[in-house]
Amino acid sequence: MKKINNFVHTEKIPFTQAVRSYIPTVVTVPFCQTKGKDFISIVKVGEQVKEGQPIAIAVDSNNKELEAQIHSPVPGEVISIEQCSLPDGCVGLSAKIRLGGEFSFLGKQIEKTDWKILTDEEIITAFDEKGIFNTFNHSVLLSKQIKECNLKENRFLVVRLFDEDPSRCTDSFVAEKYTAKVVEGSLIIAAVMHAQGIVFVKPKGSLISIDTESIDIPYSIVEADTTIYPQGFLQNLVHTIKKFCKNSKNSLNKEFTSINHKSIFIDPETALSVYQGIVYSEPVMERYVHVTGNALKASGMFNVRIGSTISALARQCGGFKKFPSKIIINGMIIGNAISTMEAPVTKDVKSVAFVTASDLDDQTLSQCVRCGMCREVCPEKIYPDLLFRHKIGGKPVGPDFLKTCRLCSGCSLCNCVCPSRLPLSQTIEMLKEENNE
């Protein structure tokens, strides 16, 4: 598998603490927090809502069963229900809520719950009631992911304790700062999915210390060399775990050599959300967000209320020293650009980068020059250029060749090296969705 060393330079000094972002006087809370879901509003304009009160519910498009809930991150009045631009570039309904009244969770002493006395059904139901999504890759319902995991053997949970995109450091920060909570949240998921074992993958040389005495199922702690890219995507993790456990002198690790891509993979923020939701009955109302970029006067790690705008985060960093040419969500390599600073923070936003024109290469699209660089750099040895031409109506490829799109990890190296600036990775992602079986 081909790797690239020091592909992106991250923050020179790691963040040791997060700052709570300003709570705005008006929040814009999107109803849609994941793809492929219809959400219905359960509040009306003029209604008073409490912090943590459900304001929208996800509806299954097949049988109309009610699923995950969206909660108000602040107490106040619903002043409008309207369309807004989302961080993924789409447009969806949202509720604008004007801050007012007493908080129910923020600053309160909340009693802990012993999750081990709860049944599996109670925990799964709580995942939806607390609005918990798995943000390992794309935001998906954690409850549905567990229900659809039909593995009879090799049923493992994998916890990645670092960011797959080295230009951000949110997952790494949460893993290091809240290790015990992340571990306990992971154990809750492992218990309810009846996992045969749990694997924690941490950076080589990391200071993350996992208390193994609290782990009552087979486990493995695997080290990954995060100085090379790609490393944190599903395919990379499977390869790293198998190699580590195969070469391990500890016989307990041998059990994990049979791990595959059908296992459940989570990130630290998902585990932390589970911990907060099950142990403290707190709905998902905030995210840790890495705010950075040369356009800003300062960068930082913020604990952000969902519904806060991107522009509010820029103001808290002291504003701009240069006008940003692009605003990129969730990483310089695998992220996407947005066109408005009034987009709200959603559950799957991990970073915001305000980038100046001098930091960007020429973004002009042109025709494929058949240089082969995308094939050469691809870690999974697929042909991004041929898949791209097939998708846009050029020379078609056979059904077997088309299935190779499923091997793509989403690392976006093909995009990075393409001199024609073609959206190769995004096109392959579309093909994966069309050919998902």
Side-chain angles (χ1 to χ4, degrees), residues 163-181:
D163 296 85
E164 76 274 31
D165 189 320
S167 68
R168 67 171 195 248
C169 52
T170 315
D171 287 335
S172 302
F173 171 82
V174 173
E176 292 177 10
K177 189 72 174 177
Y178 304 104
T179 306
K181 294 180 179 179

Side-chain angles (χ1 to χ4, degrees), residues 165-376:
D165 189 320
S167 68
R168 67 171 195 248
C169 52
T170 315
D171 287 335
S172 302
F173 171 82
V174 173
E176 292 177 10
K177 189 72 174 177
Y178 304 104
T179 306
K181 294 180 179 179
V182 168
V183 170
E184 188 166 353
S186 302
L187 292 175
I188 294 172
I189 299 173
V192 78
M193 67 175 278
H194 300 285
Q196 292 173 231
I198 184 169
V199 183
F200 295 96
V201 187
K202 67 175 187 176
K204 187 178 293 184
S206 169
L207 297 178
I208 295 174
S209 178
I210 297 173
D211 179 13
T212 56
E213 292 186 4
S214 64
I215 304 176
D216 54 3
I217 62 172
Y219 70 91
S220 180
I221 300 175
V222 175
E223 291 191 336
D225 186 356
T226 54
T227 63
I228 55 179
Y229 181 86
Q231 188 62 266
F233 299 93
L234 189 151
Q235 288 93 325
N236 313 135
L237 294 175
V238 169
H239 176 79
T240 299
I241 293 167
K242 285 186 173 183
K243 183 178 179 180
F244 181 90
C245 293
K246 183 179 179 180
N247 297 333
S248 174
K249 295 180 180 179
N250 187 342
S251 60
L252 297 176
N253 285 327
K254 302 300 181 184
E255 182 176 350
F256 297 97
T257 56
S258 58
I259 201 165
N260 61 59
H261 70 281
K262 293 184 179 179
S263 297
I264 292 182
F265 295 73
I266 66 169
D267 60 343
E269 286 221 70
T270 299
L272 184 61
S273 294
V274 168
Y275 175 84
Q276 293 294 126
I278 303 303
V279 176
Y280 287 103
S281 297
E282 184 174 334
V284 179
M285 296 181 290
E286 54 190 17
R287 292 275 93 178
Y288 285 94
V289 181
H290 176 203
V291 185
T292 187
N294 287 337
L296 290 170
K297 291 183 178 179
S299 61
M301 184 69 68
F302 295 94
N303 193 3
V304 183
R305 285 274 147 164
I306 289 169
S308 301
T309 61
I310 303 300
S311 60
L313 293 177
R315 288 195 296 273
Q316 189 156 355
C317 289
F320 300 118
K321 58 183 179 182
K322 296 180 182 178
F323 185 79
S325 179
K326 279 190 181 293
I327 304 169
I328 301 174
I329 304 294
N330 286 345
M332 295 294 293
I333 307 174
I334 65 171
N336 62 281
I338 59 173
S339 58
T340 173
M341 286 199 294
E342 297 313 306
V345 170
T346 56
K347 295 182 181 183
D348 59 352
V349 172
K350 295 185 177 184
S351 70
V352 183
F354 296 88
V355 185
T356 61
S358 60
D359 297 317
L360 296 170
D361 293 326
D362 182 11
Q363 301 294 302
T364 305
L365 270 67
S366 58
Q367 290 186 342
C368 176
V369 296
R370 292 172 169 78
C371 63
M373 293 176 66
C374 60
R375 302 183 191 184
E376 183 180 347

Side-chain angles (χ1 to χ4, degrees), residues 6-76:
N6 300 317
F7 186 52
V8 169
H9 294 289
T10 55
E11 301 286 348
K12 293 181 180 180
I13 303 175
F15 296 107
T16 58
Q17 63 180 2
V19 176
R20 180 169 294 282
S21 68
Y22 301 137
I23 298 178
T25 55
V26 176
V27 294
T28 303
V29 188
F31 292 158
C32 183
Q33 302 272 347
T34 184
K35 291 183 178 180
K37 287 291 173 188
D38 296 322
F39 284 75
I40 57 174
S41 173
I42 55 175
V43 293
K44 298 178 181 178
V45 174
E47 184 176 340
Q48 294 290 325
V49 294
K50 297 180 180 180
E51 179 199 16
Q53 176 181 327
I55 60 174
I57 299 179
V59 180
D60 190 289
S61 57
N62 294 322
N63 55 25
K64 298 300 180 184
E65 289 183 357
L66 299 182
E67 294 183 328
Q69 300 177 355
I70 305 301
H71 303 81
S72 174
V74 297

Side-chain angles (χ1 to χ4, degrees), residues 150-168:
N150 54 11
L151 289 173
K152 302 298 182 184
E153 298 179 350
N154 307 320
R155 193 178 176 91
F156 300 117
L157 175 68
V158 179
V159 189
R160 183 192 66 214
L161 299 176
F162 57 92
D163 296 85
E164 76 274 31
D165 189 320
S167 68
R168 67 171 195 248

